[in-house]
Amino acid sequence: MADYPPFAVTADLVVLTVRADELHVLLVRRGVPPYEGRWALPGGFVGIDEDLVDAAVRELTEETGLPQPAGHLEQLGTYGRPSRDPRGRVVTVAWLALLPDLPTPVAGSDAAAADWVPVNRLDRARLAFDHGRILADGLERARAKLEYTALATAFCPPEFTVAQLRAVYETVWDTALDPRNFHRKVTGTPGFVEPAGRSTEGGRGRPARLFRRGPATLLHPPMLRPSART
Amino acid sequence: MADYPPFAVTADLVVLTVRADELHVLLVRRGVPPYEGRWALPGGFVGIDEDLVDAAVRELTEETGLPQPAGHLEQLGTYGRPSRDPRGRVVTVAWLALLPDLPTPVAGSDAAAADWVPVNRLDRARLAFDHGRILADGLERARAKLEYTALATAFCPPEFTVAQLRAVYETVWDTALDPRNFHRKVTGTPGFVEPAGRSTEGGRGRPARLFRRGPATLLHPPMLRPSART
DNA sequence: CTAATAGTGTCTATGAGACAGTATGTG
DNA sequence: CACATACTGTCTCATAGACACTATTAG
């Protein structure tokens, strides 16, 4: 055990949010080689006595500047091609975070040039390291999980309308959904959302009831995306 | 970059197969401390110039003694609690493998005491390291993926009957399925299975047609397990 | 009033589950 | 023949999708 091959281990984050009807990912501009000046996923080295998930949470709070994010965090996968980092053998554990649109702009202590970038207007091939592949995997994971889990509420503030939740689905899936069938489906699935009792004010049209996320994590039956028809 | 915290990285495998109507996992008996004499998942250190998936394939072929396994291999997750290995900081990338029942007994070069163990008659808490948790995650992943993918065929030999495929579902899910509805569902899902043209001989009852796995990887609509009803 | 958005009701097609009935082998 | 297993047909219920209709606000 004394002589095992020594690896560096990092935690990288695919942080997604929905703002202005576009899906955004949190990226940082690299200030040092390699890939100087290129966009990269936020992340950093795991401490020798630090748990993997703790490193991910630490990076997330550092980069977003939020004390305790209200969203969702899960492990995405581990990437360790020997040539993926020119500096040496670095294995990265990638994490997927889904956050509500943050009222505060991103101003992390660590990342000077962090910013939200719309995923549809981003050339993934130009990201540093293998981060284009990691981002693609994160997007596919997020899109798939909206189908059979209640995770779409992780993109919403504590209280939200059915239309806001529908906008999340439409933005992440890049499709249009029937507002009436969506409403029936969401309110008819036990535990998906719970009425908050209040309503919106001051908008155009009839005021909408506000909801909170419910206790359900899995959706039975799932929410089907139109592209997945039979 | 010169001074990063040094980690050891291992690849551990949850190898599942169906034999004699029971779900089995491949385990090895540890011959050295720590956890000497306890069951553990097969695995080993990743080489400093070795890709992660190559290490998993290498361990799989070493432990099963098969040149090229016909089943399925996917990354399960990465486990890296600082205290998970008393010898030092070891992060393990766990993989899930689904194999057809092997005609050859397990006789790996590396693992003297490798054996197939029925998962339902195994005390997961007595496995070495955090392998009980890894095995639990692997079982849950396998059970979930049978619902919405065609992966059940990975447990089958190249040619199989509908009854054999049904036995896979019943064994992995530990439930009974209606043979008639199952038959209609499987043969009616495009690309799930394809007729091989031949039939079984010598069994009790009417001979069954043989099938091969089809090109489909995802099932639309999914195969629903009875426990997931609404 | 109109425009806009929220929410409900209803019809139809599809698929799951229950299960009768038919086909084709062994002993 | 009886029996076992493979396979098909049919009925019923639940749900997705399409979409008419009603409700409630702003201007």
Side-chain angles (χ1 to χ4, degrees), chain A residues 1 4-9 45-52 75-82 85 87-91 93 141 147-148 220-222 224 228-230, chain B residues 1 4-9 45-52 75-82 85 87-91 93 141 147-148 220-222 224 228-230:
Chain A
M1 179 64 197
Y4 53 78
F7 289 71
V9 176
F45 288 100
V46 177
I48 194 65
D49 290 318
E50 186 179 35
D51 198 353
L52 297 178
Q75 199 183 107
L76 177 59
T78 299
Y79 299 79
R81 262 186 29 248
D85 191 320
R87 296 167 296 181
R89 188 65 200 269
V90 180
V91 165
V93 182
R141 171 83 65 93
E147 286 197 83
Y148 60 95
H220 291 295
L224 295 177
R229 296 248 190 75
T230 31
Chain B
M1 179 65 195
Y4 55 78
F7 288 70
V9 176
F45 288 101
V46 178
I48 194 65
D49 289 319
E50 186 180 35
D51 198 355
L52 297 178
Q75 199 183 105
L76 177 60
T78 299
Y79 299 79
R81 264 186 28 247
D85 191 319
R87 297 167 298 181
R89 188 65 201 270
V90 181
V91 165
V93 182
R141 172 83 65 94
E147 287 198 81
Y148 59 95
H220 292 296
L224 295 176
R229 296 246 191 77
T230 29

Side-chain angles (χ1 to χ4, degrees), chain B residues 178 180-181 184-185 203 205-207 221-222 229:
Chain B
D178 186 286
R180 298 158 294 187
N181 292 334
R184 189 159 40 79
K185 171 78 176 174
R206 172 177 170 176
R229 296 246 191 77

Side-chain angles (χ1 to χ4, degrees), chain A residues 59-85:
Chain A
E59 295 289 342
L60 182 60
T61 54
E62 281 178 10
E63 305 286 356
T64 61
L66 287 180
Q68 178 69 334
H72 168 83
L73 180 69
E74 69 176 46
Q75 199 183 107
L76 177 59
T78 299
Y79 299 79
R81 262 186 29 248
S83 60
R84 65 176 293 277
D85 191 320

Side-chain angles (χ1 to χ4, degrees), chain B residues 15 26 59-66 99 102 104-108 116:
Chain B
V15 187
L26 184 67
E59 294 291 341
L60 182 60
T61 54
E62 282 178 10
E63 305 286 357
T64 60
L66 286 180
L99 299 186
L102 302 175
T104 57
V106 175
W116 293 108

